[in-house]
């Protein structure tokens, strides 16, 4: 570990960006339960509106299940997925990051761009169709998670793929959850 | 939050070889889950039970005793917990916000505990338990003695001033298979 590591720099980044939780490591059902339970307590303590809490939990569950389903079975530090939750005045950002095989990027990008382009009614229709057809893609899902996140948050999904120079890239996805939507 | 920021945080985690990083209010319930997850992660890395127990003991002492001496405040008792791997050693960090007066007291106590050899640490630990004094200072000393006794190493620390009344204080232990 480099000697110059300064734990306070990291803490300060988190504090300044109002990050209330960061978890990097193994994700499983047990961890999802723990993270949600811990977040719930924190939000109740902060008197966060119940409606906003529910929305946030829905988005968290979708994001964490995506990580659980798609995390690659390559266990090393640099491949660890992560979850970051930050809070603002009346909204939260839920950010997940995980490795993705380069050949899956196209289909994921296409799904997100498509759901981002739809309005509320179109999303509802598309959700119904996707559920009925429920075509499980090679990425592991029918894209229902993405549709659900856009519907429940009322905001488009932000994403970025970082090329790692290998067969894999790092996929970061952010959902803003606010009370206004 | 700018979407570029999570990648920067992740890169920092990767460059320092952190195998587990958690920031949040490490209350008792969450701590139990974190220990389970850390256990699973360390098992995958073939860390033996003795080393794992030392790491868990450090986490419990820091979060349940040392950090508990602070009241709820604007920082909402946020603690940062990190485990870094360096060849066969594990560096375990736990940082949190403390008032300046508590920081001074803790640092004095750490210096005192670090000046003891392992037999002194044991003797002092049992002496302090038998005193049965429930003061804040006694509680902190007991925790530090307990950490030193179980981890068999010196307790390292860093402090950073946040404002006129608060510091960020981080505890660090290095646990290796050789001990």
């Amino acid at each position: 570990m480099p000697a110059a590591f300064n734990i306070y720099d990291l803490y300060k980044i988190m504090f300044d960006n109002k990050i209330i939780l960061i978890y990097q490591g193994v994700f499983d059902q047990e961890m999802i339960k723990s993270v949600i339970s811990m977040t719930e307590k924190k939000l109740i303590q902060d008197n966060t509106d119940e409606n906003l809490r529910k929305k946030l939990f829905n988005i968290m569950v979708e994001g964490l299940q995506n990580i659980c389903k798609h995390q690659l079975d390559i266990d090393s530090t640099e491949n660890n997925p992560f979850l970051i939750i930050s809070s603002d005045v009346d909204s939260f950002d839920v950010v997940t990051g995980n490795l993705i095989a380069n050949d899956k990027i196209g289909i994921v990008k296409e799904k997100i761009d498509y759901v981002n382009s739809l309005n509320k009614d179109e999303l509802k229709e598309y959700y119904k169709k996707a559920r009925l057809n429920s075509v499980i893609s090679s990425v592991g899902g029918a894209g229902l998670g993405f549709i659900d996140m856009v519907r429940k948050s009322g905001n488009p999904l932000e994403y970025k793929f970082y090329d790692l120079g290998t067969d894999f890239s790092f996929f970061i996805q952010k959902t803003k959850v606010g009370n206004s939507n | 939050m700018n979407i570029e920021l999570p990648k920067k945080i992740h890169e920092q985690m990767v460059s320092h070889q952190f195998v587990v990083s958690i920031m949040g209010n490490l209350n008792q319930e969450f701590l139990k889950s974190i220990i389970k997850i850390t256990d699973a992660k360390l098992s995958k890395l073939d860390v033996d039970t003795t080393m794992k127990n030392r790491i868990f003991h450090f986490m419990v002492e820091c979060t349940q005793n040392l950090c508990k001496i602070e009241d709820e405040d604007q920082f909402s008792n946020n603690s940062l917990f990190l485990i870094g791997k360096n060849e066969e050693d594990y560096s375990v960090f736990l940082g949190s916000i403390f008032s300046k007066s508590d920081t001074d007291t803790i640092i004095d106590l750490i210096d005192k505990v670090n000046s003891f050899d392992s037999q002194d640490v044991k003797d002092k630990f049992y002496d302090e338990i038998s005193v049965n004094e429930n003061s804040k200072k006694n509680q902190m000393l007991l925790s530090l003695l307990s950490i030193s006794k179980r981890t068999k190493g010196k307790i390292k620390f860093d402090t950073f001033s946040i404002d006129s009344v608060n510091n960020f204080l981080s505890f660090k232990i290095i646990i290796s298979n050789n001990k």
Side-chain angles (χ1 to χ4, degrees):
Chain A
M1 187 180 306
F5 172 65
N6 181 341
I7 187 171
Y8 182 57
D9 284 347
L10 188 56
Y11 182 89
K12 201 166 179 318
I13 290 173
M14 295 177 179
F15 187 75
D16 290 347
N17 288 281
K18 296 178 181 155
I19 291 171
I20 58 169
L21 174 78
I22 170 166
Y23 173 78
Q24 182 213 3
V26 182
F27 276 84
D28 57 17
Q29 292 300 331
E30 186 68 25
M31 189 61 206
I32 293 180
K33 266 166 46 186
S34 307
V35 167
I36 288 176
S37 154
M38 179 262 175
T39 311
E40 185 171 29
K41 283 189 178 141
K42 165 89 181 147
L43 299 184
I44 290 172
Q45 185 186 312
D46 294 348
N47 292 321
T48 307
D49 175 77
E50 197 182 337
N51 191 33
L52 183 53
R53 281 205 319 257
K54 281 184 183 164
K55 278 190 194 177
L56 179 67
F57 295 146
N58 280 322
I59 304 297
M60 278 174 68
V61 169
E62 286 299 338
L64 293 172
Q65 281 180 342
N66 276 344
I67 289 184
C68 257
K69 263 191 279 182
H70 303 308
Q71 64 189 338
L72 298 167
D73 192 21
I74 310 167
D75 193 39
S76 78
T77 311
E78 62 199 271
N79 293 318
N80 275 336
F82 68 78
L83 165 78
I84 296 177
I85 301 173
S86 70
S87 66
D88 213 330
V89 182
D90 53 5
S91 68
F92 291 89
D93 286 338
V94 180
V95 186
T96 54
N98 58 283
L99 275 189
I100 183 169
N102 289 342
D103 59 0
K104 309 288 186 213
I105 291 176
I107 191 164
V108 169
K109 198 172 173 309
E110 197 181 303
K111 281 178 182 176
I112 298 178
D113 288 343
Y114 184 64
V115 294
N116 278 349
S117 73
L118 302 176
N119 65 32
K120 209 173 168 180
D121 293 334
E122 289 167 337
L123 267 173
K124 207 172 165 182
E125 269 312 299
Y126 182 57
Y127 183 74
K128 276 186 202 164
K129 269 189 203 164
R131 277 195 75 176
L132 280 173
N133 295 334
S134 198
V135 180
I136 305 298
S137 72
S138 58
V139 189
L144 285 169
F146 293 140
I147 307 171
D148 230 15
M149 282 195 266
V150 176
R151 285 186 71 203
K152 283 171 180 156
S153 69
N155 287 311
L157 307 178
E158 276 187 63
Y159 65 87
K160 251 194 127 108
F161 295 96
Y162 291 89
D163 186 3
L164 300 176
T166 64
D167 291 340
F168 300 95
S169 295
F170 213 84
F171 170 45
I172 292 182
Q173 192 247 306
K174 178 182 123 180
T175 313
K176 185 173 267 308
V177 193
N179 234 348
S180 52
N181 306 106
Chain B
M1 188 198 324
N2 185 312
I3 195 161
E4 305 282 345
L5 181 71
K7 182 65 182 152
K8 280 184 193 158
I9 293 174
H10 186 253
E11 276 167 359
Q12 203 168 32
M13 305 289 180
V14 171
S15 70
H16 294 288
Q17 299 184 52
F18 291 126
V19 290
V20 177
S21 328
I22 298 163
M23 181 170 176
N25 185 350
L26 303 187
N27 60 36
Q28 196 170 353
E29 192 176 322
F30 193 47
L31 185 65
K32 277 193 320 202
S33 311
I34 292 169
I35 287 177
K36 268 191 194 168
I37 300 302
T38 308
D39 189 13
K41 179 74 187 176
L42 296 179
S43 297
K44 277 191 177 183
L45 295 168
D46 286 332
V47 177
D48 71 37
T49 310
T50 312
M51 277 179 87
K52 279 196 292 193
N53 286 342
R54 285 180 189 155
I55 292 173
F56 299 150
H57 180 264
F58 174 73
M59 286 166 72
V60 172
E61 279 300 336
C62 287
T63 56
Q64 297 295 287
N65 295 320
L66 289 177
C67 297
K68 274 275 151 49
I69 62 172
E70 293 300 306
D71 297 327
E72 295 279 323
D73 59 11
Q74 58 166 319
F75 300 103
S76 307
N77 267 349
N78 261 350
S79 302
L80 179 56
F81 169 68
L82 304 164
I83 299 180
K85 189 176 188 303
N86 184 15
E87 294 177 358
E88 292 308 304
D89 296 338
Y90 284 87
S91 299
V92 189
F93 296 82
L94 203 139
S96 199
I97 306 296
F98 290 85
S99 69
K100 287 198 187 290
S101 61
D102 280 338
T103 308
D104 292 343
T105 310
I106 293 174
I107 289 172
D108 284 347
L109 292 173
I110 291 176
D111 288 340
K112 189 175 168 184
V113 170
N114 281 345
S115 72
F116 296 151
D117 64 25
S118 59
Q119 190 55 49
D120 288 342
V121 168
K122 272 185 197 166
D123 294 344
K124 192 72 186 159
F125 178 75
Y126 293 116
D127 286 351
E128 287 299 319
I129 283 183
S130 59
V131 168
N132 200 18
E133 190 192 322
N134 217 6
S135 71
K136 201 175 182 181
K137 195 172 171 181
N138 183 260
Q139 199 185 321
M140 288 192 276
L141 178 60
L142 260 176
S143 281
L144 293 168
L145 285 166
S146 179
I147 290 169
S148 179
K149 191 163 84 70
R150 287 294 297 271
T151 58
K152 299 185 192 304
K154 302 294 177 198
I155 303 165
K156 296 177 193 289
F157 63 89
D158 265 319
T159 55
F160 305 91
S161 181
I162 290 182
D163 54 35
S164 59
V165 286
N166 291 303
N167 278 341
F168 180 82
L169 170 62
S170 74
F171 306 98
K172 177 187 171 189
I173 53 161
I174 295 172
I175 297 177
S176 77
N177 258 332
N178 306 325
K179 288 174 185 167

